[in-house]
Amino acid sequence: MSHSARGSRWPSLDQLWALLAVALPMLRVLLTPLMPHDFWWHLATGRLIALEGSVPTADRFSYTQAGAPYYNQPWLAQLLMYGGYRLGGAELLQLLQAIIIGASFALLYRVSRREGAGPRLATVITLAGGMIAMDNWQIRPQSYVIPLFVATLALLLRWRRSGDAPIWLLPPIMIVWTNLHGTFIL
């Protein structure tokens, strides 16, 4: 039976609330200018990893510590950033960043709904999380792990509620996370 035959409209109000929870964070990312912070340093390090086939162990970019031993923990994020930049420049990285943030907050919205929040409350929860996290939405390694954090939360909440969750996914998530950014210990 079609939507019009049932008398329902698309999009429904509930679907609009869900769209709002995902679209606003994505829009914020797309409208934020690329801030230099350490963006170019991460790209340069990703380029070194790609060209040399290994993770640098000595500082090559600072003036005061040049040549000093260096542990480059977010190497995978740097390599991904460099690969994305080579494919489509900063514009592609900005679009991918919006997708990462949008997917993260879509999952958070879904988790909120699954845990019993109605559409409006789930939207408020999701947007509140977005307001707390939006200072870290620049294209940097820590933003790449936001979906991994939300996925871990979703798995653990499902397991706690029902005992039926694919918690075997936690080790692979953690392996990726540990090579993207140091927040895995949190």
Side-chain angles (χ1 to χ4, degrees):
M1 183 178 278
S2 71
H3 286 290
S4 59
R6 288 185 296 213
S8 65
R9 294 181 310 137
W10 190 93
S12 69
L13 189 55
D14 289 355
Q15 291 167 329
L16 288 174
W17 281 108
L19 179 65
L20 184 69
V22 175
L24 285 179
M26 289 180 75
L27 188 61
R28 166 69 159 74
V29 171
L30 291 171
L31 294 177
T32 301
L34 180 63
M35 301 300 283
H37 299 303
D38 50 7
F39 174 77
W40 299 106
W41 174 78
H42 286 301
L43 280 182
T45 305
R47 183 185 66 229
L48 284 177
I49 295 167
L51 295 176
E52 297 176 359
S54 64
V55 177
T57 57
D59 185 345
R60 296 190 188 178
F61 298 116
S62 71
Y63 177 75
T64 58
Q65 295 293 312
Y70 172 71
Y71 179 70
N72 187 25
Q73 186 276 323
W75 68 270
L76 182 57
Q78 294 165 338
L79 191 59
L80 292 172
M81 288 171 68
Y82 176 67
Y85 188 80
R86 287 213 38 191
L87 285 174
E91 296 82 7
L92 178 62
L93 287 178
Q94 194 83 3
L95 178 62
L96 292 173
Q97 185 73 8
I99 292 168
I100 288 168
I101 297 301
S104 300
F105 285 89
L107 183 56
L108 182 60
Y109 177 86
R110 185 172 178 198
V111 168
S112 299
R113 294 283 288 139
R114 189 182 70 202
E115 292 298 314
R120 290 181 189 126
L121 180 57
T123 299
V124 169
I125 290 167
T126 302
L127 292 176
M131 289 177 68
I132 292 167
M134 72 180 166
D135 283 344
N136 282 307
W137 290 354
Q138 290 294 325
I139 303 170
R140 301 174 78 195
Q142 63 260 36
S143 63
Y144 288 16
V145 301
I146 296 171
L148 300 178
F149 171 77
V150 180
T152 299
L153 175 66
L155 285 169
L156 292 174
L157 287 172
R158 181 175 163 191
W159 180 74
R160 185 178 73 176
R161 185 177 20 84
S162 69
D164 178 36
I167 58 172
W168 60 268
L169 287 171
L170 292 176
I173 287 172
M174 200 55 58
I175 288 169
V176 173
W177 194 340
T178 57
N179 291 292
L180 286 173
H181 192 259
T183 54
F184 67 91
I185 62 171
L186 299 177

